Amino acid sequence: MSGVMKRMGMIFRAKANKALDRAEDPRETLDYSYQKQLELLQKVRRGVADVATSRKRLELQLNQLQSQSAKLEDQGRKALALGREDLAREALSRRAALQQQVTDLETQHSTLQGEEEKLTLAAQRLQAKVDAFRTKKETIKATYTAAQAQTRIGEAFSGISEEMGDVGLAIQRAEDKTAQLQARAGALDELMASGALDDPTGIAKDDLQAELDRLSGGTDVELELQRMKAELAGGPSSGQQAIEGGTSPSQSRQQPQDTPRFDKQ
Amino acid sequence: MIVRIMGEGQWKLTDSHFVELSKLDDELLAEMESGDEAGFHRTLGALLDAVRRLGEPLADDALEPSELILPSPDASLEEVREMLSDDGLIPG
């Protein structure tokens, strides 16, 4: 009984031999194979570009989700400072749901990054092999006599067709994985667009923010009144008691410094 | 003897290493046939490590066919089964 690696080796060789046997003139096989190699090389390069595009899209979504998560954390803190534990709880539970999405996306991101690296290496390897094959092909054709060339053609062709099979398989797998991840990324885009996930730009006000603004707005008015009264009475300002975060809504949307960012080009 | 690890490239090994690889290879086949996914991944990892440890990497522009071919480290048992079937996954 032969093991896995022996059998796989035989399968690859059988495929190469079958392709060679089909040709009447081996020189035609060489030219045809070279065309196929160039096509595959193009396909691999396109594959690398597709994977990179998907990866960048995921990075964008990750950044959006992370800033949304930071915003919710900030709102939770602010709500707590205003004595509204119910609002804080709501903000933090929304944040927990977002964090789950972030974790999923991070896993997908590292999968895509792995595929991208593998394909980039495969493209480099294939490029080197295609260049070597072109040189060998021209040498064989130049010195061609059927008997002597047959062996050399067989070797060169087997070497390159095996590489093509390997790289071809890698590109197929990457395409499958990318398609799956794109579908999930698309679903997330739809969620964001439908408002199921809050608008990460922070332009539209969510209900939590509106409530917080109302509360802190009221507090600001109270504080202002106290300050004015103190001024009129000639006493010291008591406006220093302003709670942290009870200022403008724009400040509540500031990013914390330790938010991880994906900025790989 | 030349061994290809799919997705990684080719390694040149001396025939004396063949005994060790062959033993692992037979184990891998048995695990694949019994459907032991965990054992399959463990043995495949050991086999790939042995090739990388004992072998000398072949230059990217070498045009030599491999005598033995191994699946990539992340290949599933099912994928390898497919590859070993008649018209398998392998393009060409």
Side-chain angles (χ1 to χ4, degrees):
Chain A
M1 180 173 71
S2 61
V4 171
M5 60 183 181
K6 293 168 214 156
R7 278 168 56 178
M8 276 179 72
M10 283 191 283
I11 286 173
F12 271 88
R13 271 194 298 280
K15 279 187 183 284
N17 289 338
K18 211 186 287 181
L20 260 183
D21 288 346
R22 275 201 298 264
E24 286 186 13
D25 182 343
R27 287 173 296 181
E28 284 172 17
T29 311
L30 294 179
D31 286 332
Y32 173 74
S33 171
Y34 183 62
Q35 284 309 313
K36 284 272 167 222
Q37 289 160 38
L38 294 179
E39 282 169 25
L40 179 60
L41 205 46
Q42 278 301 101
K43 199 176 170 190
V44 174
R45 288 195 183 122
R46 269 201 309 273
V48 173
D50 286 349
V51 172
T53 305
S54 295
R55 175 181 53 75
K56 283 177 184 154
R57 186 177 173 196
L58 276 184
E59 283 166 12
L60 201 66
Q61 288 183 328
L62 261 169
N63 282 337
Q64 288 178 332
L65 287 177
Q66 277 162 341
S67 67
Q68 183 66 16
S69 171
K71 180 181 158 189
L72 283 164
E73 187 181 4
D74 198 47
Q75 287 176 333
R77 197 175 288 119
K78 203 169 162 182
L80 213 52
L82 290 164
R84 287 291 304 269
E85 197 173 323
D86 58 324
L87 278 184
R89 196 179 302 279
E90 176 61 24
L92 292 178
S93 66
R94 287 186 197 181
R95 181 176 174 266
L98 274 189
Q99 280 304 111
Q100 185 54 55
Q101 294 271 21
V102 167
T103 308
D104 287 352
L105 279 194
E106 279 172 345
T107 309
Q108 290 181 36
H109 181 267
S110 64
T111 304
L112 272 189
Q113 218 162 14
E115 288 302 319
E116 193 180 346
E117 282 162 17
K118 269 195 281 190
L119 278 187
T120 305
L121 284 173
Q124 284 168 2
R125 232 177 45 221
L126 187 62
Q127 177 71 65
K129 284 239 191 314
V130 169
D131 291 345
F133 184 83
R134 189 185 56 231
T135 309
K136 201 152 189 165
K137 164 175 90 83
E138 292 311 317
T139 311
I140 290 171
K141 281 166 72 180
T143 61
Y144 180 76
T145 66
Q148 71 159 173
Q150 199 64 48
T151 315
R152 296 171 60 207
I153 288 172
E155 274 179 15
F157 186 78
S158 296
I160 193 76
S161 81
E162 180 190 306
E163 186 71 33
M164 286 168 72
D166 183 358
V167 172
L169 199 56
I171 190 85
Q172 270 179 30
R173 295 177 80 199
E175 278 172 356
D176 289 351
K177 277 189 185 157
T178 310
Q180 282 170 8
L181 295 179
Q182 274 179 334
R184 292 185 64 174
L188 196 60
D189 278 343
E190 293 212 357
L191 274 175
M192 284 178 174
S194 71
L197 289 173
D198 289 324
D199 170 28
T201 58
I203 294 166
K205 278 193 179 180
D206 55 63
D207 52 347
L208 272 175
Q209 193 60 48
E211 180 68 4
L212 282 170
D213 286 351
R214 194 184 61 76
L215 285 169
S216 61
T219 313
D220 286 346
V221 170
E222 288 304 313
L223 288 170
E224 191 64 15
L225 271 173
Q226 279 183 31
R227 195 181 59 78
M228 283 177 174
K229 282 177 186 169
E231 271 178 14
L232 285 171
S237 164
S238 54
Q240 298 310 312
Q241 298 160 359
I243 47 155
E244 190 232 332
T247 49
S248 71
S250 65
Q251 283 182 348
S252 69
R253 281 192 292 272
Q254 280 179 357
Q255 285 279 332
Q257 289 308 300
D258 58 350
T259 305
R261 312 293 288 176
F262 287 82
D263 52 4
K264 185 171 180 281
Q265 292 307 306
Chain B
M1 136 182 99
I2 292 170
V3 181
R4 169 182 295 277
I5 296 177
M6 291 185 75
E8 285 185 35
Q10 294 167 291
W11 276 261
K12 204 179 187 94
L13 287 96
T14 61
D15 289 355
S16 60
H17 296 131
F18 192 67
V19 179
E20 183 182 345
L21 296 183
S22 211
K23 188 173 156 293
L24 286 167
D25 191 25
D26 290 338
E27 255 176 66
L28 189 69
L29 186 68
E31 281 152 352
M32 192 190 80
E33 284 172 347
S34 68
D36 175 4
E37 183 93 40
F40 175 84
H41 280 289
R42 206 174 35 246
T43 308
L44 179 60
L47 197 46
L48 298 179
D49 285 345
V51 170
R52 295 184 197 114
R53 188 180 71 246
L54 304 168
E56 191 69 42
L58 219 62
D60 281 352
D61 59 358
L63 273 178
E64 298 187 55
S66 313
E67 196 174 328
L68 305 167
I69 295 179
L70 280 165
S72 60
D74 60 348
S76 69
L77 192 147
E78 200 45 50
E79 270 180 322
V80 176
R81 259 203 196 127
E82 283 278 328
M83 279 192 262
L84 291 176
S85 69
D86 270 347
D87 36 78
L89 289 167
I90 302 157

